[in-house]
Amino acid sequence: MEKLLLLGDEAIAQAALDGGLSGAYAYPGTPSTEITEYIQHNKYAKEHNIHRDWSANEKTAVESAIGMSYAGKRSIVCMKHVGLNVAADAFMNSAITGVNGGMLVVVADDPSMHSSQNEQDSRYYADFAMIPILEPSDQQEAYDMVYSGFELSEQLNVPVMIRITTRLAHSRASVQRKPQQAQNTNKLPEDLRQFVLLPSIAKRNYNTLLKNQSEFKNRSEQSPFNQYTSGTDKSRGIICSGIAYNYLKENYGEQEIPYPVLKICQYPLPTTLIKKIYDECQELLILEEGYPLIESKLAGLFENPKIKGRLTSDLPRDGELNPNLVAIALKLEEKRNTKIPDIVASRPPALCMGCGHTDVFKAVNQVVETYGEGRVFADIGCYTLSALPPLQAINTCVDMGASITMAKGAADAGMKHVIAFIGDSTFTHSGMTGLLDCVIENTPITIIISDNDTTGMTGGQHSHAENRLFQICKGIGVPEEHIRTFVPLKKNHAEAVQILTEELEYEGVSVIIPHRECVRTFERKNKQRAKKKKQEASKTKS
Ligand SMILES: Cc1ncc(C[n+]2csc(CCOP(=O)(O)OP(=O)(O)O)c2C)c(N)n1
Ligand code: SF4
């Protein structure tokens, strides 16, 4: 079989395709987006009609993946860590329904919050749901885990979580492919009430899940992804998980690691292996990316003082690990000079030159000068960057959809002239239900849906809102005369200010839809058009 040079995300996508995938479901989110994009552009996926369109949000994505599993086929659902909060209801209950076709839930965590609101660790969700986790330490393992993960899910009758982090998702390595597996054929679940979570059935299913825990643990004890390596120096043992194993190896290069090492990449925790290393060594150092999950579980299992890690300040409690931090914890010589040279200037992120959001914010800022500051409830998208100079236009950013509902709460509290600012993709992700709340109560609120025809922040994916915003808002019940639109350009500034002022004076729900395509998407489409033209021209010549 061929070898490919793949990002961690791409290794997951390729393994899913090779492993008999029938449907991928996802909402974009860094660092997980490239998994779905790889499947979307893949020739085999196109030829075999594998589902690969974006979903409206992570909850609808997980539910569709459960539906595909119900129908007997293999599904994968991909998201960033905070997406799992949105999908949590479906995700938690999927552990109780169990699966029919194999189902993998890939969650990409973002320790150090490179492009996220928090650095929550998705392993806690899988632990909460009591399902197995596979956490690759490198790209090959990411491939192997996904390839064999469908079968594991089918054998254990639960979804399996694949947990990765930013560095693995976005770095490349050589990956050895395995033979193509056929897709499952449609097959109903043997028990047609397996997925009916009425209390009587849910109780039975939950008991089965509880009973199966020992088998899940057994699989972890036997897993090829969990490896114990003995060492000569028993003054310390090292337990490491996921990419932290790579950081440990990087510190020793070709040299043997002198300490016993237990690599844990499949959960639930293999406690027999853990007990072995604990009994053998005088102290244990736990290296794990994210929150101290293993460390806190061990602290409950054994005598605490022997265990070192993030909770004992041997490693930082927050942020990403790296080979240097591991070297410091092991009291080795630091491998890299991490000091940033003075010549490197810090460059805060900013909206692109010519971005339509900027023109909208200029109008918002002018209007806010009249009504007083502190009233702009914003959302998550490129426009969040307007919090920074020079615009400094927004006052909140909490989670997707929260602009409308937070503004509503503030209006309920008696604040006047509140503005919610949301993007088109975020609106269809989770803003529509908040708008319905406002309509039902006729909340005095002005909602700006800044429509750039794309999901800009994550690289310009298709937006479910495309050409639908007016109809959606009208359908939800916003009076037609209070759905206003303008083109956000410098020359239309006065018009924008006037529309905003008029709607802020209206004591009910109004929606303003500034509409101009994202500059980056426009450029990309233009390039594609030019490329196509060139190809066609060369075809006619030959
Ligand atoms: C629950 C959740 N899912 C995904 C993301 C990643 N994400 C951040 S903003 C965004 C969409 C932005 O699109 P839009 O609202 O249209 O604004 P634009 O970036 O185009 O201006 C996405 C997918 C996230 N932060 N949270
Ligand atoms: S990517 Fe598009 S939406 Fe985002 S800042 Fe640039 S032009 Fe604006």
Side-chain angles (χ1 to χ4, degrees):
M1 292 301 297
E2 64 179 334
K3 271 193 169 182
L4 298 172
L5 186 65
L6 297 175
L7 293 178
D9 275 352
E10 294 171 344
I12 287 171
Q14 187 62 57
L17 291 166
D18 293 344
L21 179 74
S22 294
Y25 296 90
Y27 181 74
T30 312
S32 69
T33 313
E34 291 85 350
I35 305 171
T36 310
E37 287 182 332
Y38 186 91
I39 296 172
Q40 285 172 343
H41 298 128
N42 184 271
K43 193 164 162 251
Y44 174 89
K46 285 181 197 163
E47 284 168 1
H48 290 78
N49 203 23
I50 289 164
H51 180 277
R52 56 194 183 278
D53 287 343
W54 294 110
S55 303
N57 64 36
E58 294 84 355
K59 180 174 180 284
T60 63
V62 170
E63 288 158 352
S64 300
I66 299 172
M68 180 152 285
S69 165
Y70 173 93
K73 295 203 172 174
R74 293 179 166 181
S75 62
I76 191 168
V77 54
C78 314
M79 66 201 78
K80 70 181 286 157
H81 57 331
V82 286
L84 191 51
N85 298 334
V86 176
D89 197 9
F91 170 75
M92 291 300 295
N93 291 327
S94 70
I96 311 292
T97 59
V99 300
N100 186 23
M103 175 174 156
L104 301 180
V105 181
V106 183
V107 194
D109 290 355
D110 188 18
S112 279
M113 305 180 225
H114 296 289
S115 45
S116 308
Q117 312 97 288
N118 73 30
E119 60 172 24
Q120 68 188 61
D121 185 328
S122 301
R123 293 177 301 165
Y124 281 80
Y125 262 113
D127 189 52
F128 190 22
M130 292 186 272
I131 62 167
I133 311 169
L134 299 172
E135 189 191 7
S137 63
D138 60 23
Q139 285 72 5
Q140 182 66 55
E141 221 168 40
Y143 179 94
D144 295 343
M145 284 175 168
V146 170
Y147 187 83
S148 60
F150 288 121
E151 201 180 345
L152 184 71
S153 164
E154 283 162 10
Q155 286 172 353
L156 300 180
N157 185 30
V158 278
V160 170
M161 177 184 282
I162 309 284
R163 188 254 183 171
I164 56 167
T165 51
T166 311
R167 299 287 162 189
L168 188 109
H170 286 171
S171 55
R172 272 179 208 282
S174 164
V175 171
Q176 175 75 58
R177 281 180 71 187
K178 291 182 186 319
Q180 178 70 56
Q181 294 189 51
Q183 290 183 48
N184 288 356
T185 48
N186 279 128
K187 176 180 74 90
L188 284 172
E190 269 170 39
D191 171 7
L192 275 180
R193 298 203 302 164
Q194 177 190 333
F195 288 77
V196 186
L197 291 188
L198 276 170
S200 58
I201 301 167
K203 275 182 206 169
R204 183 200 66 192
N205 288 5
Y206 179 51
N207 273 313
T208 309
L209 179 67
L210 290 175
K211 261 192 225 126
N212 288 345
Q213 292 302 305
S214 56
E215 177 55 16
F216 297 178
K217 192 167 89 63
N218 215 9
R219 293 297 187 108
S220 290
E221 301 283 2
Q222 312 298 329
S223 169
F225 303 123
N226 292 340
Q227 285 160 5
Y228 175 86
T229 320
S230 61
T232 45
D233 184 350
K234 305 276 168 61
S235 63
R236 169 191 282 146
I238 303 170
I239 294 182
C240 40
S241 66
I243 200 165
Y245 178 63
N246 230 324
Y247 297 154
L248 173 69
K249 283 199 305 181
E250 207 172 313
N251 268 292
Y252 287 95
E254 296 299 304
Q255 277 174 289
E256 267 192 22
I257 301 171
Y259 310 111
V261 175
L262 176 57
K263 165 180 172 283
I264 299 180
C265 290
Q266 180 167 340
Y267 308 68
L269 290 179
T271 43
T272 314
L273 288 170
I274 291 172
K275 188 148 183 358
K276 178 177 160 66
I277 195 166
Y278 180 87
D279 288 342
E280 254 177 31
C281 302
Q282 285 164 27
E283 69 169 44
L284 284 184
L285 177 68
I286 318 293
L287 305 174
E288 56 191 321
E289 189 65 293
Y291 290 5
L293 173 86
I294 299 179
E295 191 181 344
S296 45
K297 283 201 176 250
L298 293 204
L301 275 178
F302 302 116
E303 188 193 327
N304 284 355
K306 255 180 108 164
I307 294 158
K308 311 262 180 209
R310 286 186 185 266
L311 290 174
T312 53
S313 302
D314 290 80
L315 289 151
R317 174 63 182 80
D318 64 337
E320 272 183 310
L321 290 183
N322 59 42
N324 247 359
L325 291 171
V326 171
I328 295 166
L330 287 164
K331 301 189 175 47
L332 296 171
E333 195 188 321
E334 290 179 47
K335 295 257 153 156
R336 281 192 225 145
N337 180 4
T338 50
K339 194 173 171 298
I340 298 168
D342 296 335
I343 196 169
V344 179
S346 98
R347 209 168 45 133
L351 289 160
C352 303
M353 290 283 282
C355 174
H357 294 321
T358 306
D359 294 292
V360 185
F361 280 121
K362 283 187 176 161
V364 169
N365 276 354
Q366 185 172 328
V367 173
V368 163
E369 262 181 40
T370 315
Y371 290 101
E373 61 179 6
R375 60 190 66 252
V376 184
F377 296 82
D379 227 291
I380 307 188
C382 286
Y383 41 88
T384 317
L385 297 174
S386 72
L388 306 170
L391 288 165
Q392 292 179 291
I394 62 168
N395 305 107
T396 71
C397 160
V398 177
D399 64 82
M400 286 188 78
S403 56
I404 298 177
T405 28
M406 281 184 70
K408 180 184 182 297
D412 294 344
M415 253 182 92
K416 299 253 182 270
H417 310 297
V418 295
I419 300 172
F421 196 111
I422 189 168
D424 50 310
S425 182
T426 302
F427 177 70
T428 46
H429 176 284
S430 50
M432 297 191 297
T433 43
L435 175 59
L436 183 59
D437 280 349
C438 295
V439 166
I440 298 289
E441 293 185 35
N442 196 29
T443 308
I445 183 174
T446 302
I447 299 164
I448 300 170
I449 310 176
S450 193
D451 183 8
N452 57 6
D453 289 329
T454 194
T455 314
M457 185 103 185
T458 43
Q461 294 77 21
H462 170 80
S463 164
H464 273 31
E466 205 175 316
N467 300 324
R468 286 191 177 84
L469 283 176
F470 184 88
Q471 285 305 331
I472 292 173
C473 296
K474 192 176 152 201
I476 287 176
V478 183
E480 217 167 308
E481 64 277 19
H482 289 289
I483 308 176
R484 311 281 300 271
T485 183
F486 67 90
V487 181
L489 282 169
K490 199 174 172 186
K491 64 175 183 182
N492 299 334
H493 179 76
E495 181 197 0
V497 171
Q498 190 184 337
I499 291 175
L500 264 163
T501 311
E502 282 170 13
E503 295 310 324
L504 277 168
E505 285 302 318
Y506 169 61
E507 293 216 350
V509 184
S510 52
V511 174
I512 302 173
I513 310 172
H515 184 196
R516 177 154 70 84
E517 188 173 10
C518 158
V519 177
R520 294 278 91 84
T521 312
F522 179 76
E523 282 170 354
R524 213 170 19 249
K525 282 187 192 161
N526 258 358
K527 266 189 202 154
Q528 281 163 359
R529 274 192 286 265
K531 198 174 155 195
K532 211 170 156 196
K533 230 169 149 184
K534 214 170 153 190
Q535 280 168 346
E536 277 163 11
S538 71
K539 253 191 222 162
T540 29
K541 260 190 207 165
S542 59

